[in-house]
Amino acid sequence: MFRDAFTVKFNISHNLEEEQTGEIHDPTIVVYMPKYFTNITWEGDINEYQLIDSGEYQNSAFQIQYLLAKGADPRIYSSDGMRPVNVAATKEAIEFLEEWSEEETDVILLQIEEAQNREKDESNALHQNEENRLEDIVAGIQKEYNVMEKQLEKAHCELNKRIYEHDRGVAKDKGKDEITIQAINDAECHLDDIQQATEKVRQRLQEAKLKVRELRVQKTDEKPEDLPGLRISIREIDDVLLRDVGNKMKDSGKWTLLIDIGGQALTFLRYRDTNYVNALSPVHMAPDALRLSLLGALRFGKPLVIDLMDLDSWNVLAQRFDAIQPQLSEHILSQEILKEHCFKHLIRESDGPSYEVSEFNPTRLGNFKLFVVTKQWIPGDELIDLFYVIRVVIPGADAFASID
């Protein structure tokens, strides 16, 4: 029918046996069943009528009927200005192409477009329903996780309280140490149970979120993106975190969330000139202690490092900061805390002359940084949205990247 340069590729994917095999036994079925049409794939340059050899039906007028009924457009020119009618191999094929109505092609192409749109709409609706169902599951597990997180914070505080009571009791009366030690052991066992339960819920939450992400990738036909965050090695911590070479953190306008599953970066920061805060320590998180940690970091121009421990949200920290001063957490995130009209309200008379407003040097204020450190490889969306994310990658441990 056509020269070798003009051969045909057509996709046959519907439930008719003739279409599945490509064996067309009745041309009437082909011509008058446009509702079963599929796309004709033209390959090559945009103006190239390049087709793939059609095999045993190369000289069959039936196949021309089939292709036209499927939406093949006989008006298309090849790069050398030829159309199918110019290269048809038989008189019958030429006559059929010449008599074919262009309006009929337009009708078929319109039917193809409408069918594709219907199929796309149906597919989108199915995907959206499934996405809504998965998001409801995520929301339910998220509520469960929030409850577990509060229980975990309470268990940590209870353990620290028992340890504090033991230390005070031993100093006053060594005879009571058996009672306080037993209380500590009980608190540790309770904390361990809560940690295990919280971890199970966290894994369920991450798996549910993964299913939502995979569905969205499938829906948009996009390749899955890498986990959010700038990846750095241990050796790069000084340049990236403390020196901010390239001003990446500064230009982001956000403070830093440091994902450090190995704990090496946290150890490095604790041995530098930083103010360290354990988010689950009642002593560190006491209002006045937390205020002085923040104020001291601002006054002397050094990083405030907050270790989230087992927590996975900013909300707990925000409540503690706001207990010191209303909207303090917002002023920290917006970096308004670097301005005098904000930080001066943190100063108390008992802080001494070193903390007078006049002692706060603009250069040192500019050196202040907030590092929130987590061991969660996939932190909650809230943390990722609020902070500039940096991931500390341990050489040879890339397998963690697949934990999604």
Side-chain angles (χ1 to χ4, degrees), residues 294-358:
L294 173 60
L295 191 63
L298 291 166
R299 164 66 176 83
F300 297 102
K302 55 185 180 179
L304 174 64
V305 179
I306 301 180
D307 184 1
L308 286 179
M309 301 294 288
D310 293 318
L311 300 180
D312 191 26
S313 74
W314 170 254
N315 184 53
V316 174
L317 295 177
Q319 292 176 2
R320 298 303 180 113
F321 281 120
D322 291 344
I324 299 170
Q325 177 182 311
Q327 297 184 315
L328 179 57
S329 61
E330 295 179 16
H331 294 156
I332 292 173
L333 289 177
S334 67
Q335 303 190 6
E336 282 290 305
I337 193 64
L338 299 177
K339 299 178 180 179
E340 181 180 326
H341 70 86
C342 275
F343 70 72
K344 70 179 183 181
H345 296 294
L346 296 176
I347 302 173
R348 307 289 185 264
E349 289 186 11
S350 58
D351 296 335
S354 296
Y355 284 91
E356 292 181 358
V357 173
S358 59

Side-chain angles (χ1 to χ4, degrees), residues 138 202-212 404:
V138 169
R202 179 185 291 124
Q203 290 178 0
R204 287 170 50 212
L205 180 60
Q206 291 179 348
E207 290 172 359
K209 288 181 177 180
L210 173 60
K211 290 181 180 179
V212 173
D404 205 344

Side-chain angles (χ1 to χ4, degrees), residues 147-164:
V147 172
M148 294 302 302
E149 196 171 44
K150 291 179 180 178
Q151 293 181 7
L152 184 62
E153 181 189 9
K154 183 178 179 180
H156 270 285
C157 291
E158 188 67 21
L159 175 59
N160 286 317
K161 181 180 179 181
R162 298 300 172 224
I163 294 174
Y164 178 71

Side-chain angles (χ1 to χ4, degrees), residues 124-358:
N124 288 341
L126 289 174
H127 274 89
Q128 190 60 53
N129 290 338
E130 180 65 10
E131 185 175 336
N132 292 341
R133 185 184 71 83
L134 292 175
E135 286 180 343
D136 289 341
I137 293 176
V138 169
I141 301 176
Q142 184 67 59
K143 290 181 180 179
E144 184 180 352
Y145 180 73
N146 292 342
V147 172
M148 294 302 302
E149 196 171 44
K150 291 179 180 178
Q151 293 181 7
L152 184 62
E153 181 189 9
K154 183 178 179 180
H156 270 285
C157 291
E158 188 67 21
L159 175 59
N160 286 317
K161 181 180 179 181
R162 298 300 172 224
I163 294 174
Y164 178 71
E165 290 174 349
H166 171 74
D167 292 340
R168 289 188 61 187
V170 169
K172 292 182 178 181
D173 187 354
K174 294 184 179 181
K176 296 182 179 180
D177 58 344
E178 292 184 3
I179 298 176
T180 54
I181 289 175
Q182 183 59 48
I184 291 174
N185 291 337
D186 292 343
E188 287 178 337
C189 291
H190 178 63
L191 174 60
D192 185 61
D193 291 341
I194 296 296
Q195 285 177 326
Q196 293 183 32
T198 302
E199 183 59 30
K200 289 180 181 179
V201 177
R202 179 185 291 124
Q203 290 178 0
R204 287 170 50 212
L205 180 60
Q206 291 179 348
E207 290 172 359
K209 288 181 177 180
L210 173 60
K211 290 181 180 179
V212 173
R213 290 196 298 271
E214 288 177 340
L215 186 66
R216 287 172 178 169
V217 168
Q218 181 182 358
K219 179 179 178 180
T220 57
D221 293 327
E222 295 177 355
K223 294 182 179 179
E225 297 180 357
D226 291 335
L227 294 174
L230 173 67
R231 293 171 178 253
I232 65 171
S233 66
I234 296 296
R235 295 180 178 179
E236 296 172 310
I237 290 177
D238 189 57
D239 284 342
V240 176
L241 288 182
L242 301 182
R243 302 177 187 276
D244 192 17
V245 176
N247 292 325
K248 297 294 185 180
M249 292 188 298
K250 182 179 179 181
D251 292 344
S252 73
K254 299 179 179 180
W255 299 122
T256 301
L257 174 68
L258 184 64
I259 299 175
D260 177 33
I261 60 173
Q264 292 177 308
L266 181 60
T267 301
F268 172 85
L269 290 172
R270 291 189 67 176
Y271 281 95
R272 299 302 292 261
D273 186 18
T274 63
N275 283 3
Y276 172 78
V277 173
N278 181 329
L280 290 177
S281 168
V283 176
H284 289 189
M285 296 301 288
D288 201 53
L290 185 58
R291 177 187 67 82
L292 286 173
S293 294
L294 173 60
L295 191 63
L298 291 166
R299 164 66 176 83
F300 297 102
K302 55 185 180 179
L304 174 64
V305 179
I306 301 180
D307 184 1
L308 286 179
M309 301 294 288
D310 293 318
L311 300 180
D312 191 26
S313 74
W314 170 254
N315 184 53
V316 174
L317 295 177
Q319 292 176 2
R320 298 303 180 113
F321 281 120
D322 291 344
I324 299 170
Q325 177 182 311
Q327 297 184 315
L328 179 57
S329 61
E330 295 179 16
H331 294 156
I332 292 173
L333 289 177
S334 67
Q335 303 190 6
E336 282 290 305
I337 193 64
L338 299 177
K339 299 178 180 179
E340 181 180 326
H341 70 86
C342 275
F343 70 72
K344 70 179 183 181
H345 296 294
L346 296 176
I347 302 173
R348 307 289 185 264
E349 289 186 11
S350 58
D351 296 335
S354 296
Y355 284 91
E356 292 181 358
V357 173
S358 59

